[in-house]
């Protein structure tokens, strides 16, 4: 199975409810990374979106392909990078970042898991 299939390029953007009740739109970039103990466990970079229909495809401005472990957009637009979320084979997830609260992380994880 190729990396694009494993990482599901079609994960839609999401509007999450922040801890202060505002809506934060986010989108996801599948990363070409694997967890040490899981060959096909997806890893996604999370970015602040401009609107609810924003996606990784609207922001590609670097050579290479989606999934290249360059890391992609965070080098270009650091302020919109919100961290990464990693999924294990047994359905558990881990957030690597500092900008999303536990409740916000949970919304992101549930959204992606529903798409897998």
């Amino acid at each position: 199975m190729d990396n694009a299939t494993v990482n599901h390029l079609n994960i839609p953007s999401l509007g999450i409810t922040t801890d202060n009740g505002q809506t934060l739109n986010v989108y996801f970039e599948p990363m070409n990374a694997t967890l040490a103990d899981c060959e096909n466990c997806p890893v996604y970079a999370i970015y602040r979106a401009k609107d609810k229909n924003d996606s990784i495809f609207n922001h590609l401005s670097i050579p290479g392909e989606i999934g290249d472990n360059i890391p992609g957009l965070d080098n270009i637009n650091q302020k919109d990078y919100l961290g990464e979320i990693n999924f294990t084979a047994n359905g558990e997830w881990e957030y690597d970042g500092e900008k999303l609260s536990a409740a916000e992380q949970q919304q992101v994880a549930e959204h992606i898991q529903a798409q897998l």
Side-chain angles (χ1 to χ4, degrees), residues 26-28 44-47 80-85 95 100 108:
V26 296
Y27 63 91
F28 313 97
Y44 294 92
I46 307 164
Y47 297 92
D80 289 337
Y81 178 72
L82 301 175
E84 291 181 9
I85 190 163
Y95 172 71
L100 297 178
V108 168

Side-chain angles (χ1 to χ4, degrees), residues 6-8 31 33-35 38-44 85-88 112 116:
V6 170
N7 284 315
H8 297 269
M31 302 300 290
T34 57
L35 301 178
C38 183
E39 185 176 319
N40 290 319
C41 296
V43 178
Y44 294 92
I85 190 163
N86 312 305
F87 293 89
T88 64
I112 294 174
L116 298 177

Side-chain angles (χ1 to χ4, degrees), residues 12-16 24-28 49 52 54 107-108 111-112:
S13 59
L14 171 67
I16 61 175
L24 171 63
N25 294 307
V26 296
Y27 63 91
F28 313 97
K52 68 178 184 173
D54 213 352
Q107 292 173 67
V108 168
H111 174 72
I112 294 174

Side-chain angles (χ1 to χ4, degrees), residues 49-99:
K50 303 298 183 232
D51 60 48
K52 68 178 184 173
N53 295 317
D54 213 352
S55 76
I56 182 67
F57 299 107
N58 296 340
H59 296 271
L60 291 177
S61 60
I62 57 175
E65 298 180 9
I66 294 175
D68 284 352
N69 200 15
I70 292 179
L73 298 177
D74 58 327
N75 284 342
I76 294 169
N77 203 355
Q78 190 71 298
K79 66 182 175 61
D80 289 337
Y81 178 72
L82 301 175
E84 291 181 9
I85 190 163
N86 312 305
F87 293 89
T88 64
N90 63 358
E92 295 178 9
W93 57 271
E94 179 180 306
Y95 172 71
D96 182 14
E98 300 175 359
K99 296 184 178 180

